[in-house]
Amino acid sequence: MARPARNPGNGSRDRILAAAAAVLTEKGYAAARLTDIAEVAQLRAPAVYYYFDSREALVAEVMIVGQQWLRRHVTEALDALPPGTAALDRVCTAVDAHLRVELELSDFATAVTRNAGQLPADVRTQVGRESAQYHAIWRALISEGQSDGSIRTDIDPRSARMLIIGALNWAPEWWHATAQSIDLLISTAQSFIRAGLSAP
């Protein structure tokens, strides 16, 4: 059975969403059943249909909430930096925030990265709109870095962005807290990204 979800809300609807995020993270879209979700939420299965018209509607909301959670956490981390922080340092802050929200703070974000490729086309379209807003943050960071001289200009910014986000999103598939601290993981990721992006 899936573990209790992280970030549960107080009401039944929030509990269902959090439970669905936990089940999607553990089992994936194809194997996630409403009965499993109801069990983790500690509700009867018919209660799920009181709040959501279908399994797909529930999954779509989980994925959208996951994208919003990740974007908000990264944005808040960037906004907390002192004015004038170099764009490459801001990229490293975004790396830290992304990994922490995926690996420590939210089943919602992990559910997104693990299930994005399995979704029906209509759900994927909805999630894609949220994803585009998150990618816009990274697009701006790399563009700012190439403008302020902290990020090299001889690389393709789109490729750099996709490679970075892809690597960060893959971390939940292999990282385990019992084998390595998250702080060491983050510092290693930042070192790799800084070395790859730094202007001479």
Side-chain angles (χ1 to χ4, degrees):
M1 184 183 76
R3 67 187 184 283
R6 292 171 287 176
N7 318 122
N10 294 323
S12 295
R13 191 177 192 281
D14 289 335
R15 283 164 55 198
I16 292 168
L17 282 169
V23 172
L24 285 166
T25 294
E26 182 170 318
K27 296 188 173 185
Y29 174 78
R33 300 180 305 168
L34 287 181
T35 52
D36 298 328
I37 293 168
E39 184 177 355
V40 173
Q42 299 180 328
L43 295 167
R44 295 173 62 87
V48 176
Y49 286 108
Y50 179 80
Y51 296 97
F52 299 94
D53 293 336
S54 65
R55 175 176 176 267
E56 286 67 32
L58 172 56
V59 170
E61 185 149 353
V62 168
M63 303 293 278
I64 289 168
V65 168
Q67 288 282 0
Q68 292 171 342
W69 182 280
L70 179 61
R71 177 161 48 91
R72 181 169 63 250
H73 191 76
V74 171
T75 298
E76 288 173 353
L78 292 171
D79 288 346
L81 292 172
T85 300
L88 184 55
D89 293 327
R90 288 168 57 79
V91 166
C92 288
T93 295
V95 168
D96 182 303
H98 184 116
L99 287 173
R100 288 191 190 280
V101 77
E102 272 205 324
L103 300 175
E104 287 188 332
L105 302 178
S106 176
D107 282 319
F108 287 90
T110 310
V112 171
T113 58
R114 287 190 172 170
N115 294 280
Q118 305 177 43
L119 302 175
D122 57 335
V123 177
R124 194 158 55 242
T125 298
Q126 295 177 61
V127 175
R129 287 193 287 267
E130 290 293 334
S131 178
Q133 294 185 55
Y134 184 63
H135 276 257
I137 295 172
W138 286 87
R139 187 181 298 108
L141 287 173
I142 294 172
S143 176
E144 289 163 11
Q146 290 184 319
S147 296
D148 71 14
S150 61
I151 293 178
R152 53 197 290 187
T153 57
D154 62 337
I155 59 171
D156 174 49
R158 180 182 183 277
S159 298
R161 168 171 52 88
M162 298 301 288
L163 286 166
I164 291 169
I165 294 177
L168 298 179
N169 285 345
W170 189 249
E173 298 300 326
W174 58 266
W175 179 82
H176 299 283
T178 55
Q180 179 192 45
S181 75
I182 192 170
D183 291 329
L184 179 57
L185 168 67
I186 289 170
S187 64
T188 301
Q190 289 172 327
S191 295
F192 267 77
I193 292 168
R194 186 179 289 277
L197 295 183
S198 291

